[in-house]
Amino acid sequence: MRYQFIDAQNASYSTASLCAFMSVSFSGFYAWRKWPASARQREDMVLLAHIKDKFEASNRAYGSRRIAADLRVDGLSVGRHRVVRLQRISENRFPLSLGQSDPLRHSFG
């Protein structure tokens, strides 16, 4: 997680300051960047492409349960919670459906 943060913020801040801030070594960060993606990460990227396709094919209406069910019908082994996790980490955040409220918005009163 630390290395991913450094990699994401590398355009805005220097690698030296980010590594010092996150208490990691340069060599550890650069070794992480050279390390190939794990089998799980590669599988997640393939699944994320399928999830995005299903979501767009449904006119952006399907939720995680229906997407997971459709992927299982297509022969992919995936659970709803994995679909939710991949939707969360996706660069294009999936919008909330019409019936849901924003969990980050609080109304106190």
Side-chain angles (χ1 to χ4, degrees):
M1 221 38 171
R2 292 178 184 194
Y3 295 138
Q4 290 171 343
F5 175 79
I6 293 170
D7 201 34
Q9 299 298 321
N10 208 8
S12 302
Y13 302 99
S14 71
T15 305
S17 60
L18 287 168
C19 286
F21 177 73
M22 299 300 288
S23 301
V24 296
S25 66
F26 283 140
S27 60
F29 171 69
Y30 287 113
W32 171 82
R33 285 182 67 180
K34 289 181 182 178
W35 199 260
S38 69
R40 176 72 172 216
Q41 288 172 327
R42 290 189 302 269
E43 189 177 313
D44 280 351
M45 292 302 108
V46 170
L47 280 174
L48 185 58
H50 286 288
I51 289 168
K52 287 180 179 181
D53 288 344
K54 292 288 183 187
F55 187 69
E56 293 300 327
S58 71
N59 292 323
R60 305 174 66 83
Y62 280 9
S64 60
R65 288 187 175 124
R66 192 173 283 177
I67 291 173
D70 279 358
L71 292 174
R72 283 192 295 270
V73 167
D74 291 346
L76 296 169
S77 176
V78 63
R80 182 176 70 87
H81 294 288
R82 190 170 184 188
V83 170
V84 169
R85 179 179 59 82
L86 291 173
Q87 285 178 326
R88 260 193 213 132
I89 65 170
S90 171
E91 290 177 4
N92 314 0
R93 296 200 51 114
F94 293 79
L96 297 170
S97 65
L98 296 175
Q100 293 177 324
S101 63
D102 187 353
L104 299 177
R105 179 182 290 159
H106 302 286
S107 61
F108 301 102

